[in-house]
Amino acid sequence: MTSVDLSRWTASRGSTAELIRCPGSETPDVASSAAALGVDGSCIDKSLVFACDGECIVVVTNGEERVDPKKLARRLGLANKRVRLASPTEAIAECGYAPGTVPPFGHRRELRVFVDEKVPLVPGGVVWGGGGDIDMEVKVDVDELLRLTEGELLDVKQNPKKKNGAEN
């Protein structure tokens, strides 16, 4: 699938999401996306595909945060070892997009989506995420993101490691 498919999907739902091409820039990660768009990295979200006991889910979180698979396992009622980041082959098969281009919505098939609880709190209320192509980003209001993903809000972030008994 490509940004063309994503554009059709968002249009079919009357979405206000915008697809923005970044000419001459590949944007497979937070740093390159933020640089190409000229925005702060805290405005960039990432959509990660996780394999959970034979089923794939999508997790949308601030791109600067790491996802804690144990929190997903706990929410899904699975053993920790049953939740892992999906392989590129699994991600493409399940959502239709390669890692680094995965949008938060508009996947090949309907997937369960978890949105980190801090995403709606981003300053300005607008986030950017994978747009289906290596040089494409999707710009979306957080309320629209929640509507399109039908995502469940959940704290999915890894907690900072403790050092000398204090949080980092």
Side-chain angles (χ1 to χ4, degrees), residues 62-82:
N62 177 285
E64 296 176 332
E65 301 288 347
R66 296 182 63 92
V67 173
D68 185 345
K70 292 176 184 174
K71 289 182 178 180
L72 295 172
R74 187 169 35 253
R75 173 61 186 90
L76 297 168
L78 299 173
N80 292 342
K81 67 181 179 179
R82 305 300 297 172

Side-chain angles (χ1 to χ4, degrees), residues 34-48:
L37 295 166
V39 300
D40 188 80
S42 65
C43 297
I44 307 293
D45 281 351
K46 60 186 172 189
S47 301
L48 301 172

